[in-house]
Amino acid sequence: MTSSHASPASVEGSDPAKVSIVREFINHGRLNMVLIGLLGLGSVTGTLAFPYLVGKLIEAIQAGAPLLLPSLWMVLAGLGGAVAGAIATFLVGRTGERIVGRLRGRVMAHSLGMRVRDIKEEGVGNLAARLSADSFQIKAAIDIGPLQLPTSALILVGTLTIMGILDWVLLLITLACFAAAFVVIGFLMVSLRKKYKELQDQIGILSDNFVSQMQAVAAIKAYRAESLVLRRLTARADALADLGVSASRVESMLVPAVTLGQQIALVGVLVGGGTRVISGDLDLPTYIAFLLYLLQMVGPVVMAVSGLTTIQGGMIARGRFENVFALPTEKAFKPEPDAGGPEAPQQDALRVRQEEKACAVSFSGVSFGYGDGAPVLQDVNFDVPTRGLTALVGLSGSGKTTILDLIERFALDHSGAITFFGHPIEDLSLSKVRQNTAYVDQSFTLVHGTVRENLNLGRESEVPERRLAEVLQMVGLDETIAALGDGLDTEIGGSTDLSGGQRQRLALARAILSDAPLVLLDEPSSQLDGVNEEKLRLCVREMARDRAVLMVAHRISTVQHASKIIVLDRGQVAAEGTHEELLHQSPAYTLLVTEQTLNRKSETDEGQLVPL
Ligand SMILES: Nc1ncnc2c1ncn2[C@@H]1O[C@H](COP(=O)(O)OP(=O)(O)OP(=O)(O)O)[C@@H](O)[C@H]1O
């Protein structure tokens, strides 16, 4: 799992998609920026003027002049500066939230568009860390960057300028005393940057490990592996904590380096300034004002230093966002000619035009391997007619799901020719292929949402209630759904969940409701009992009446009536034909049937009913 790999050079339209927080800030509104700038300036002016006004008050006290006006000026400077600072801070915070919100939206959109393979490689938890830890880092940097950092820099420059005007000799003493502190701070910053980078990468990896383990929580509990898993996760969390401690060690030296510089400067200024007051080269009010400026100077320096560390964290988080954006989306591999405008193309525009006499799907000399691995499919040839059930059978690992992945375009880089309703599949947009395909995957995935939302997934208009009821009855789920708290509007996946077989039947109902002319079913009967397997057979027969159904099946019983059965053996088509033909022609098929018959016999001997 890494974010560091770049998109392939060959990928059309790939874009590293840089994230520019400054540009985002400007895009948020120039008036907003000007307002923040003016308010920031107001706050700086108030802060800078305050010690000067203190000097004026002391002068007035010494001269026995009225104190009301200088006191009022002081209150105005203090209050005005504070109010301006507060409003500017709010405006920056608000802008920061919006920028981070947009960035989160962008990373979610990009993640959804990425290839399944890249999502797995990057890690779901690591992607999710962009929405939490990395977003917080960027927000913190935005809070500091446009206001606190320039404000402290301005206050510092202003303070130093005024100190120079007051007495340049004392300013030189001050700068000399601070110089060593700044060199130390520079070294500490470089070391912190490396530590922050490692820390943020490790947070992403820990999140991903945790998410992966929690997804397998039932197996972990069943095998009483909680302590083993916890040990592994805790080891990672401890390593993360060690990294954090190491960063804190460096951070803890930053402020002392500044205050040490200030204390040395204070001694230097006290001695140097005192000598100059005694010699008459410096008057007392100027001396006091200089000392006040020196004391005030440490605030902006500390703010600037801590601001820079936060900005470093934000820049590293920004880099992690950029790493995700640099991963290609499916569109980079297969641009969508249909998706010209900002709106998704209309469903009607995505209807595939079927070439005359064409099959739903045709594989001709297709070979494929995952990444640089050994080929999984080799010279595969078969046709799926536009009507009827075509079954794919074969031993586990023979490449059945990979064939469905190639049709669904989850896997894109095959050799040979795949045609989809007579069109070379590469010539069709991903949307067009998927709009014309209904898919029930091996894990019969349901999305987080209500039963109704799951059944309507991907549709522009909702299926009428009567049709929903009809299909739920077909798959034998009508009573189950009616018994749920809110019926069709019950959220599934949270506190209310369905059994494996029920989920499987709901996924099947979704495929039936879709009017896609091609239906791909990946072992849809794996969790079904005899009664529901029979229902599945009826549903498939119904779908196959006017659509192409390509079904991967382990149980021969579910596909023995198929119009065509394709036998796959180690990535190659070993035979194809009807059940009866294959029983006579294909030793591989006969072996599959014999093994299942033996299994069935041993199960029936134990008193279980297994239909065939
Ligand atoms: N994402 C992947 N990366 C690398 N190799 C993979 C990936 N998915 C599958 N494979 C490999 O490809 C081969 C075919 O896998 P596939 O899932 O297509 O087989 P299958 O016939 O559907 O198996 P099963 O019946 O067990 O589901 C297997 O050797 C598998 O290890």
Side-chain angles (χ1 to χ4, degrees):
M1 173 183 47
T2 167
S3 297
S4 57
H5 59 273
S7 53
S10 60
V11 171
E12 232 182 292
S14 66
D15 178 9
K18 291 275 171 217
V19 175
S20 166
I21 301 292
V22 175
R23 199 178 56 218
E24 291 276 339
F25 216 94
I26 296 169
N27 288 347
H28 196 75
R30 284 172 204 275
L31 182 66
N32 183 57
M33 266 189 76
V34 170
L35 213 57
I36 290 170
L38 288 178
L39 288 164
L41 268 179
S43 160
V44 171
T45 311
T47 314
L48 283 176
F50 202 76
Y52 173 79
L53 294 171
V54 171
K56 286 287 169 201
L57 187 67
I58 294 172
E59 268 179 34
I61 294 169
Q62 278 182 329
L67 303 181
L68 183 65
L69 199 61
S71 307
L72 274 179
W73 273 115
M74 273 178 61
V75 172
L76 191 69
L79 203 64
V83 171
I87 299 175
T89 305
F90 165 70
L91 290 179
V92 170
R94 191 179 65 172
T95 314
E97 287 297 352
R98 301 261 154 82
I99 291 174
V100 166
R102 272 204 301 273
L103 215 46
R104 283 191 178 118
R106 201 173 144 197
V107 91
M108 287 189 286
H110 194 88
S111 302
L112 279 169
M114 277 160 58
R115 293 183 303 173
V116 178
R117 164 176 146 194
D118 287 334
I119 293 172
K120 284 186 184 159
E121 203 173 323
E122 182 66 15
V124 174
N126 199 10
L127 283 169
R130 285 5 186 250
L131 305 181
S132 51
D134 292 315
S135 289
F136 287 131
Q137 290 280 3
I138 291 193
K139 170 69 172 56
I142 294 175
D143 285 344
I144 302 279
L147 197 63
Q148 187 173 325
L149 210 59
T151 305
S152 32
L154 263 179
I155 294 176
L156 193 61
V157 171
T159 307
L160 290 174
T161 309
I162 295 171
M163 286 163 87
I165 293 167
L166 290 175
D167 195 287
W168 65 270
V169 179
L170 291 185
L171 175 66
L172 285 182
I173 294 173
T174 306
L175 289 179
C177 296
F178 263 107
F182 285 136
V183 172
V184 173
I185 288 168
F187 278 115
L188 294 176
M189 286 287 191
V190 173
S191 150
L192 261 183
R193 183 170 173 78
K194 281 191 206 141
K195 291 183 192 300
Y196 282 166
K197 163 111 185 64
E198 212 179 329
L199 200 62
Q200 281 169 240
D201 283 344
Q202 290 301 323
I203 289 174
I205 292 173
L206 175 66
S207 310
D208 189 54
N209 282 5
F210 182 67
V211 168
S212 311
Q213 298 290 14
M214 290 311 282
Q215 278 165 349
V217 72
I220 291 169
K221 284 179 186 291
Y223 287 91
R224 289 169 291 111
E226 290 98 326
S227 39
L228 173 80
V229 169
L230 184 62
R231 254 200 318 279
R232 286 197 191 144
L233 288 174
T234 312
R236 277 214 172 270
D238 287 346
L240 193 60
D242 288 345
L243 270 173
V245 168
S246 159
S248 301
R249 198 173 296 130
V250 178
E251 277 170 1
S252 67
M253 287 186 251
L254 287 171
V255 174
V258 177
T259 43
L260 194 67
Q262 184 205 26
Q263 279 160 0
I264 298 169
L266 198 60
V267 174
V269 169
L270 276 175
V271 174
T275 316
R276 285 167 62 74
V277 170
I278 291 166
S279 67
D281 291 332
L282 189 67
D283 56 48
L284 189 63
T286 309
Y287 181 45
I288 292 173
F290 192 96
L291 280 171
L292 283 175
Y293 277 112
L294 177 58
L295 292 175
Q296 184 180 280
M297 199 184 127
V298 75
V301 175
V302 169
M303 265 165 70
V305 167
S306 76
L308 280 175
T309 58
T310 310
I311 282 179
Q312 276 200 343
M315 280 169 64
I316 291 162
R318 188 193 64 173
R320 282 175 46 79
F321 271 92
E322 286 177 342
N323 287 340
V324 174
F325 298 142
L327 291 172
T329 59
E330 288 178 320
K331 283 184 189 156
F333 289 90
K334 180 74 201 99
E336 296 270 309
D338 298 330
E343 295 294 322
Q346 294 294 305
Q347 284 191 337
D348 283 350
L350 290 173
R351 281 268 157 263
V352 71
R353 186 174 43 84
Q354 191 190 330
E355 292 297 313
E356 218 178 311
K357 293 191 188 150
C359 293
V361 173
S362 256
F363 272 47
S364 173
V366 173
S367 299
F368 174 80
Y370 287 97
D372 300 328
V376 169
L377 299 177
Q378 289 183 68
D379 193 22
V380 170
N381 300 285
F382 67 85
D383 292 332
V384 178
T386 48
R387 278 177 187 70
L389 170 63
T390 305
L392 261 179
V393 300
L395 291 177
S396 176
S398 54
K400 303 181 294 292
T401 300
T402 304
I403 286 181
L404 300 193
D405 283 355
L406 284 171
I407 299 172
E408 263 290 343
R409 310 291 277 139
F410 294 147
L412 294 157
D413 24 21
H414 62 274
S415 62
I418 303 178
T419 57
F420 189 81
F421 291 96
H423 307 270
I425 204 161
E426 297 85 358
D427 291 355
L428 301 172
S429 67
L430 294 176
S431 306
K432 197 163 232 170
V433 172
R434 291 176 186 164
Q435 173 68 26
N436 290 282
T437 313
Y439 183 44
V440 176
D441 67 348
Q442 230 172 33
S443 28
F444 26 92
T445 312
L446 302 181
V447 299
H448 192 98
T450 63
V451 175
R452 190 190 300 278
E453 283 163 353
N454 266 283
L455 290 172
N456 281 299
L457 198 68
R459 302 182 65 93
E460 271 178 0
S461 55
E462 284 206 356
V463 180
E465 205 82 5
R466 257 183 57 195
R467 176 73 182 139
L468 286 183
E470 194 181 292
V471 172
L472 284 175
Q473 195 181 13
M474 270 172 84
V475 298
L477 271 183
D478 46 340
E479 287 176 14
T480 310
I481 302 299
L484 296 175
D486 293 318
L488 280 166
D489 295 311
T490 310
E491 290 256 350
I492 41 175
S495 55
T496 309
D497 207 348
L498 302 174
S499 73
Q502 288 165 343
R503 291 175 78 87
Q504 197 159 30
R505 282 180 283 148
L506 197 61
L508 183 67
R510 185 165 63 197
I512 296 173
L513 285 167
S514 131
D515 41 13
L518 171 66
V519 181
L520 305 178
L521 304 172
D522 200 348
E523 290 183 45
S525 64
S526 60
Q527 308 237 351
L528 301 187
D529 54 46
V531 175
N532 282 306
E533 194 183 330
E534 182 52 31
K535 281 202 168 92
L536 166 83
R537 244 184 306 211
L538 292 175
C539 290
V540 170
R541 193 187 297 164
E542 187 60 34
M543 279 193 285
R545 231 187 270 281
D546 57 354
R547 306 202 237 176
V549 180
L550 178 60
M551 175 160 133
V552 168
H554 271 159
R555 286 193 223 169
I556 302 294
S557 57
T558 49
V559 292
Q560 61 180 333
H561 303 297
S563 9
K564 187 198 286 197
I565 300 173
I566 299 162
V567 185
L568 216 60
D569 187 15
R570 281 161 290 179
Q572 289 180 311
V573 175
E576 65 174 73
T578 61
H579 176 68
E580 281 71 27
E581 285 165 358
L582 288 172
L583 279 179
H584 293 106
Q585 293 166 11
S586 167
Y589 186 73
T590 313
L591 188 68
L592 280 173
V593 174
T594 316
E595 277 180 359
Q596 288 192 10
T597 311
L598 288 177
N599 285 344
R600 184 179 63 100
K601 188 169 181 319
S602 73
E603 283 175 13
T604 14
D605 287 349
E606 285 165 27
Q608 292 186 26
L609 282 170
V610 178
L612 186 75

